[in-house]
Amino acid sequence: MELCEFLKNSYTCYHTVENAATMLEEAGFTRLKEQDVWRLQAGGAYFVVRGGSIVAFRCSAKGGNFTVLASHTDSPCLKIKENAAAFDGTFSRINAEGYGGGLWYTFFDRPLALAGRIVREEKDRLAAELYTSDFRLVLPSLAIHQNREANEKFSVNLQTELALAGLSERSVADMVGPYVSYDLFLTPAEEPFSCGADGELLTSPRLDDLTGVYASLKAIAGATPSDSTLVAACFEAEEIGSGTQGGAGGDFLRSVLSRICIAQGKSREEEQAAYTASLFVSIDNAHSLHPNHPEKCDPTNRAAMGGGVVIKSHAGGAYTTDGMTSAAVKKIFSDAGIRFQTFYNRSDVRSGSTLGAISLKEVSIPSVDLGVAQLAMHSAAETVAKSDVEELEKALAAIFKAHIEFTGNEVIVK
Ligand SMILES: [Zn+2]
């Protein structure tokens, strides 16, 4: 699957996981269920899904450590409530709440799809089904004549600004068919497009963090058997704090890694030792230098689009990179001829956060934060440089190819 197709069709975390599963099955991975007893083969390639999260892995034939690439499957959008459809005699509208920290003004006057998962009753079963509307909704702006201050100050109240679903009365069931319950979202349905005079930029919904998800899937699909067990973990719920059962704050990853250790015949002792020698790579995008607002960047560690993979650091721990893990990936990138740059926030602004630091509370592995530089983070249409996405793919492939082993005050990188 090409990146643009992946971006376009991954409307929600559930769609991302299904598209990821398709890519992995095409690459020969076997689907596992958490509820089954696993019989893993040395050298085998597998994946397992929990809600809107997916973990894929290639078992090492030698036991060994882990190299984990982690990213997130969700992006800011609107989540619809139960009893969401309201008809006022003229308009049908959808009652929704904000999911994550969206740049909400960008969601106005754009095509929105109704998408997510629907739980339907089938005799004695309640089955979740992926859903994408074949119709579009719109969040209409108020005309400039009726809001003369819109260009000076524009605030969004998501309880009063509701998406328009049409001109006749209809319930959610009228639109999506009979259901028992659902997790449905209003999510940007705009096609990704190339821009720039040479087509060197890509603008699309959900670049944060589907570029990371896509690059890590490509890396694990294309990897060859290694001394380490290679893992691509793509988590739901990063935009809302990662606190769900399948999120980076839950035990999904730790559970999968433990089960791999059991299959490899490792003792608890050997499992703990393996984690301390492994590498965890948290992949999420960074703010690029903005051409119109250069003053927003750190003076000496500004990431710019087209400059290669970004290594992110933060004194307060919002990013997990430290001197050792930074040195390890810098060496891998230098040896493989991969361009990289460093990113820090300005010291006088609050940092964003991501899943790396949250995942470490569940399973503590030496960790580094990477990503690509992008503009307009959390907009309905974000922008990256295509060359950076390619560089990220190469970087993750190089990390999987390297032999990495943390031994305390040393890290072996070959
Ligand atoms: Zn992100």
Side-chain angles (χ1 to χ4, degrees), residues 72 74-76 207-210 238-239 283-285 312 353-355 374 377-378:
H72 68 88
D74 63 327
S75 299
L207 290 170
D208 166 20
D209 186 30
L210 296 189
E238 192 276 340
E239 301 293 357
I283 308 158
D284 205 353
N285 288 350
K312 300 187 284 179
S353 61
T354 183
L355 57 94
Q374 69 159 91
M377 192 176 285
H378 292 191

Side-chain angles (χ1 to χ4, degrees), residues 1-21 23 72-77 113 115-116 130-132 187-190 192 204-211 213-214 217:
M1 194 178 299
E2 293 301 316
L3 174 62
C4 284
E5 195 187 346
F6 188 78
L7 289 164
K8 181 186 159 200
N9 294 326
S10 297
Y11 294 98
T12 69
C13 60
Y14 307 109
H15 292 73
T16 308
V17 160
E18 230 11 77
N19 293 329
M23 285 173 70
H72 68 88
T73 56
D74 63 327
S75 299
C77 58
L130 202 61
Y131 174 80
T132 317
T187 175
E190 204 151 72
S204 169
R206 300 177 281 277
L207 290 170
D208 166 20
D209 186 30
L210 296 189
T211 47
V213 172
Y214 184 81
L217 291 170

Side-chain angles (χ1 to χ4, degrees), residues 99-382:
Y99 174 91
L103 191 57
W104 299 125
Y105 78 84
T106 65
F107 283 64
F108 283 73
D109 309 320
R110 283 184 189 269
L112 300 174
L114 181 59
R117 67 176 181 186
I118 296 179
V119 183
R120 304 196 198 268
E121 188 167 7
E122 294 171 8
K123 293 189 181 150
D124 60 347
R125 297 186 331 130
L126 299 166
E129 173 186 295
L130 202 61
Y131 174 80
T132 317
S133 65
D134 53 13
F135 56 89
R136 297 290 176 254
L137 301 92
V138 70
L139 193 56
S141 294
L142 189 58
I144 187 70
H145 316 80
Q146 294 164 319
N147 183 13
R148 293 280 182 193
E149 295 182 322
N151 289 327
E152 285 75 49
K153 46 185 178 187
F154 181 75
S155 67
V156 180
N157 179 337
L158 291 177
Q159 191 54 73
T160 53
E161 304 290 346
L162 303 184
L164 194 55
L167 297 176
S168 53
E169 183 169 17
R170 64 194 80 197
S171 66
V172 173
D174 292 334
M175 291 184 250
V176 307
Y179 62 84
V180 182
S181 199
Y182 54 67
D183 296 295
L184 284 174
F185 302 83
L186 295 170
T187 175
E190 204 151 72
E191 302 258 342
F193 60 94
S194 292
C195 59
D198 295 322
E200 67 270 49
L201 306 175
L202 175 67
T203 300
S204 169
R206 300 177 281 277
L207 290 170
D208 166 20
D209 186 30
L210 296 189
T211 47
V213 172
Y214 184 81
S216 60
L217 291 170
K218 291 266 279 196
I220 199 157
T224 47
S226 162
D227 290 351
S228 299
T229 291
L230 309 178
V231 182
C234 312
F235 291 109
E236 66 180 22
E238 192 276 340
E239 301 293 357
I240 54 167
S242 299
T244 62
Q245 197 211 357
D251 74 347
F252 186 31
L253 177 64
R254 194 189 54 185
S255 161
V256 172
L257 298 184
S258 288
R259 293 174 78 166
I260 295 169
C261 289
I262 291 166
Q264 292 174 334
K266 283 194 175 80
S267 66
R268 271 294 280 152
E269 173 81 1
E270 287 165 331
E271 176 182 348
Q272 289 305 122
Y275 293 151
T276 66
S278 298
L279 177 67
F280 181 95
V281 183
S282 163
I283 308 158
D284 205 353
N285 288 350
H287 303 300
S288 171
L289 168 69
H290 195 295
N292 304 331
H293 303 278
E295 74 285 358
K296 295 291 182 187
C297 286
D298 180 72
T300 62
N301 293 278
R302 45 180 54 187
M305 287 158 69
V309 178
V310 181
I311 303 173
K312 300 187 284 179
S313 303
H314 181 241
Y319 308 125
T320 57
T321 310
D322 64 21
M324 290 291 284
T325 57
S326 170
V329 294
K330 281 177 182 170
K331 175 159 171 55
I332 293 168
F333 295 166
S334 298
D335 290 350
I338 287 155
R339 291 177 304 127
F340 63 90
Q341 48 190 335
T342 52
F343 172 89
Y344 284 71
N345 293 292
R346 282 184 63 100
S347 308
D348 52 5
V349 303
R350 195 166 67 90
S351 176
S353 61
T354 183
L355 57 94
I358 294 167
S359 184
L360 290 199
K361 292 180 188 153
E362 266 300 313
V363 52
S364 296
I365 296 176
S367 178
V368 64
D369 269 84
L370 304 180
V372 297
Q374 69 159 91
L375 293 172
M377 192 176 285
H378 292 191
S379 166
E382 305 170 322

Side-chain angles (χ1 to χ4, degrees), residues 37-103:
V37 173
W38 296 355
R39 296 186 208 292
L40 307 179
Q41 304 293 321
Y46 305 90
F47 70 90
V48 57
V49 171
R50 184 189 282 189
S53 302
I54 184 167
V55 176
F57 55 95
R58 276 188 189 278
C59 293
S60 161
K62 297 184 178 169
N65 308 321
F66 295 98
T67 303
V68 182
L69 307 180
S71 55
H72 68 88
T73 56
D74 63 327
S75 299
C77 58
L78 302 165
K79 185 170 187 187
I80 81 166
K81 301 176 182 175
E82 298 235 17
N83 306 312
F87 184 62
D88 61 9
T90 305
F91 297 108
S92 214
R93 296 184 301 160
I94 300 290
N95 187 10
E97 49 191 341
Y99 174 91
L103 191 57

